[in-house]
Amino acid sequence: MQQDEFSDHFGILDAVELAVIVLKVGDDGQPRYVAMNTKAREATEFEHSDYAGKTALELYGGTIGRRALNHHLGVISSGKEATYDIVLPTEHKAKYLSTTLRPVFDSGGRLAYLVGSSADITSERERDEALELTRMALDKAEEASQAKERFLANMSHEIRTPMNGIIGMCELLKETDLDEQQQVFADTIFNSATALLTVINDVLDFSRIQADKIALHDAPFSLRDVVQDVGTLLWARAAYKGIDLRIDYPEDVPHEFVGDASKIRQILMNLLGNAIKFTEAGHVTIRAAYDPGAAKLPLRIQVADSGIGIEPSQMDWIFSAFEQVDRKTARVIEGTGLGLAITRALAERMGGTVTAASVPGEGSVFTVGLNLPQPGEAGPGGGDTPEVLGSRQAVSTAPGLPGPELPPEALKGMRILVAEDNRTNQLLVRKMLKSTGADLRFAGTGQIAVELFESEGADLILMDLSMPVLGGLDATRRIRTHEREAGLPECPIVALTANAQPSDVEACLAAGMNDFLSKPFRKNELLARILRQGKQA
């Protein structure tokens, strides 16, 4: 097309849906605007008199003008089309255009015009920027969540380590001959330390729930056993207050279910503990019922008490975090106010509910509704299968009933290697196992533990996780490698650690450990782990 013919057709550009600009290349090599179609004038908010005969630098000025002029000169220099994005600062808001600029040559082969077509990508850019801001905000939130989780895990570890010494030594002290006053002192220390441990566990549980990191490990279990265990654990607390603790589990209620027994135990411990705490006289009852014809939640577990009750105005927020019932006439009951929030969150995580009814001055009833499949049935969500890692099955860190006292010399001849760098905890294990007849050897680092095992062997290993030189996980992996290479049978390894997160349990099992016991631990819990793993070995 001839140059003059091209200029004669500028008016046709108004029919084009894209924004179109035309620049004429002068004898001085400078491209100057000669036409903008309707779409281009709407985008730039320019009239013909505003742009005619001007270069981009003269029209826009500043950085935008220099950038646009450079694009124009680049196409002139190369003689080839180019695509680029530009920003137009209009009166109302900046607009983003994606522009393709093409050279137009006259009949003599001279570059005469530049023709650019632009699509408005403002919405897309704003969407992308919004998505990027959202991504950055999510990244920061995730970083903050991880930082909080690391902080809580570290604080838990640092608190549990000395508490293990306090609770363990206090337990050993209570086994000695004490006069009445000394017994009171020892009981006070023990109860106070146990209360502090409950606060720590509540805060950690609530943190995991907020981060949606509560995992369920479903397996067949006996609900009757769980209910009876919880009742047995809390019987002494109720008896101390003169409260009649009743367990009602009718024979026609099935007791074999598939679910996470440790989470159900925690729910019942919270509800029954609360009922005893807020009841000064009368009774507390835990009752199970099952309605196979119910459309949903056929399993019901109720915890009823004859305590102070709850005011109607307070019923709306008793399941909220950090809230407690106001007793008005007495000081506020001690605690974090997290128990019921954790209870409801755990029940809902299992697809269930927790509801409450109360009459002030007469008592309260908390009802847990669950839909747990029975063995052989498919669960409502398919359920999780028990996690098994080689010969090691996933273990629970929930507190259980203490095992029976062992007769003297019950572990006589058993070679137990204790990998523990804390002197107090070494002393505690030594004293707890002193009367059993076990042959104890201690290693202050994971490296020393590996060397002792390779040179002398062991019948069982108690393995701390956080140790200098070599940690418990790496030490376990090296021991398992040595066993495979030497053709040795697998030595039971029990994690004995202040790292109490579910991820710590998984990491221990994955590294090759057989069992897990978190600090602070009770003497009978330690003995039960040793007996169980020793028998399996």
Side-chain angles (χ1 to χ4, degrees):
M1 182 181 294
Q2 298 292 328
Q3 178 177 335
D4 291 340
E5 293 177 330
F6 185 82
S7 59
D8 290 340
H9 290 78
F10 283 168
I12 300 175
L13 300 179
D14 286 335
V16 180
E17 288 299 318
L18 296 175
V20 179
I21 58 173
V22 180
L23 300 97
K24 184 174 182 180
V25 181
D27 294 336
D28 58 357
Q30 292 295 312
R32 292 178 171 81
Y33 290 92
V34 292
M36 291 186 182
N37 70 348
T38 302
K39 289 287 186 182
R41 292 194 301 274
E42 291 174 352
T44 60
E45 300 179 6
F46 288 148
E47 297 296 334
H48 182 269
S49 59
D50 296 325
Y51 64 78
K54 295 180 179 179
T55 65
L57 182 58
E58 294 169 340
L59 181 60
Y60 296 107
T63 302
I64 294 176
R66 284 193 295 273
R67 186 173 297 149
L69 180 59
N70 287 337
H71 286 311
H72 300 166
L73 295 176
V75 172
I76 294 173
S77 175
S78 66
K80 298 177 181 179
E81 71 174 46
T83 299
Y84 51 89
D85 292 346
I86 61 173
V87 182
L88 293 180
T90 63
E91 182 178 347
H92 300 92
K93 68 173 184 177
K95 291 186 178 181
Y96 297 88
L97 301 178
S98 177
T99 299
T100 298
L101 192 65
R102 299 176 178 85
V104 177
F105 299 90
D106 60 18
S107 57
R110 174 181 171 276
L111 197 156
Y113 289 92
L114 298 177
V115 178
S117 57
S118 303
D120 190 341
I121 58 171
T122 303
S123 298
E124 289 83 347
R125 284 291 296 269
E126 290 176 343
R127 179 200 62 202
D128 292 343
E129 289 176 357
L131 289 174
E132 179 63 17
L133 289 174
T134 301
R135 186 192 65 77
M136 292 173 61
L138 290 174
D139 288 345
K140 288 186 177 296
E142 180 63 21
E143 289 175 6
S145 176
Q146 291 176 356
K148 182 179 75 171
E149 187 176 354
R150 288 193 299 270
F151 172 78
L152 288 173
N154 290 338
M155 289 303 298
S156 171
H157 180 274
E158 294 304 317
I159 293 173
R160 285 174 183 274
T161 297
M163 280 189 65
N164 189 52
I166 296 171
I167 293 178
M169 286 300 180
C170 188
E171 184 179 17
L172 293 174
L173 177 63
K174 291 172 65 175
E175 293 178 357
T176 64
D177 293 329
L178 303 175
D179 61 32
E180 183 177 352
Q181 186 180 48
Q182 291 170 336
Q183 187 66 49
V184 170
F185 291 165
D187 287 342
T188 301
I189 295 171
F190 185 82
N191 293 336
S192 298
T194 302
L196 177 57
L197 180 61
T198 300
V199 171
I200 296 169
N201 288 335
D202 280 352
V203 172
L204 289 176
D205 283 342
F206 186 69
S207 172
R208 287 193 287 266
I209 287 170
Q210 280 192 315
D212 196 25
K213 293 186 177 181
I214 291 291
L216 299 180
H217 299 285
D218 291 349
F221 75 100
S222 170
L223 180 62
R224 179 184 284 123
D225 288 349
V226 170
V227 170
Q228 289 176 342
D229 287 353
V230 171
T232 303
L233 283 169
L234 297 179
W235 176 85
R237 190 184 303 177
Y240 179 77
K241 298 181 69 174
I243 299 169
D244 182 15
L245 179 57
R246 307 167 183 172
I247 297 177
D248 182 10
Y249 203 108
E251 289 296 325
D252 61 348
V253 175
H255 64 92
E256 295 293 337
F257 293 95
V258 177
D260 192 324
S262 66
K263 299 296 190 297
I264 294 172
R265 183 193 302 271
Q266 186 175 357
I267 288 172
L268 298 183
M269 287 286 289
N270 285 345
L271 293 179
L272 200 58
N274 262 5
I276 296 171
K277 181 190 298 184
F278 289 101
T279 301
E280 298 302 328
H283 69 273
V284 173
T285 302
I286 180 169
R287 179 182 297 111
Y290 190 79
D291 181 5
K296 59 180 181 178
L297 307 179
L299 177 62
R300 299 271 170 167
I301 308 172
Q302 286 188 336
V303 175
D305 65 67
S306 58
I308 61 173
I310 305 169
E311 295 290 339
S313 61
Q314 298 176 333
M315 291 294 289
D316 292 337
W317 48 259
I318 59 173
F319 290 100
S320 300
F322 305 107
E323 296 287 358
Q324 295 176 326
V325 172
D326 185 2
R327 301 188 71 196
K328 292 182 170 48
T329 58
R331 69 181 181 84
V332 175
I333 290 289
E334 294 178 352
T336 60
L338 291 173
L340 289 179
I342 293 170
T343 297
R344 170 169 281 183
L346 290 175
E348 291 177 348
R349 182 70 177 81
M350 292 185 282
T353 61
V354 178
T355 57
S358 183
V359 177
E362 297 184 16
S364 306
V365 178
F366 286 82
T367 303
V368 181
L370 296 170
N371 185 15
L372 299 178
Q374 294 175 262
E377 298 178 352
D384 295 334
T385 58
E387 180 185 356
V388 178
L389 298 170
S391 63
R392 292 166 287 277
Q393 184 164 344
V395 295
S396 168
T397 57
L401 286 173
E405 287 288 346
L406 293 181
E409 306 294 306
L411 303 178
K412 186 172 183 177
M414 177 180 281
R415 298 172 302 162
I416 299 178
L417 174 59
V418 184
E420 170 66 67
D421 64 311
N422 185 280
R423 293 293 182 87
T424 300
N425 288 330
Q426 287 183 6
L427 177 61
L428 181 62
V429 173
R430 188 188 305 276
K431 294 296 184 182
M432 283 185 171
L433 300 182
K434 179 181 179 181
S435 63
T436 65
D439 177 15
L440 300 179
R441 285 165 297 164
F442 290 85
T445 71
Q447 181 64 43
I448 295 175
V450 173
E451 293 171 357
L452 280 175
F453 180 79
E454 291 178 349
S455 62
E456 302 178 17
D459 297 318
L460 183 138
I461 302 173
L462 300 176
M463 183 73 75
D464 189 18
L465 294 194
S466 300
M467 293 181 290
V469 184
L470 189 68
L473 296 178
D474 288 333
T476 298
R477 295 187 187 100
R478 293 192 185 184
I479 289 172
R480 294 300 183 221
T481 299
H482 170 71
E483 289 171 334
R484 288 192 296 270
E485 293 176 349
L488 297 174
E490 187 176 275
C491 176
I493 301 178
V494 178
L496 205 61
T497 175
N499 299 64
Q501 303 280 39
S503 58
D504 297 317
V505 181
E506 296 171 3
C508 289
L509 295 174
M513 297 188 191
N514 303 82
D515 213 334
F516 186 98
L517 183 59
S518 63
K519 299 172 184 175
F521 52 83
R522 303 289 298 276
K523 178 180 177 180
N524 282 333
E525 291 176 334
L526 176 61
L527 295 175
R529 292 298 200 282
I530 293 174
L531 282 177
R532 179 168 67 190
Q533 294 304 325
K535 288 179 179 178
Q536 292 178 1

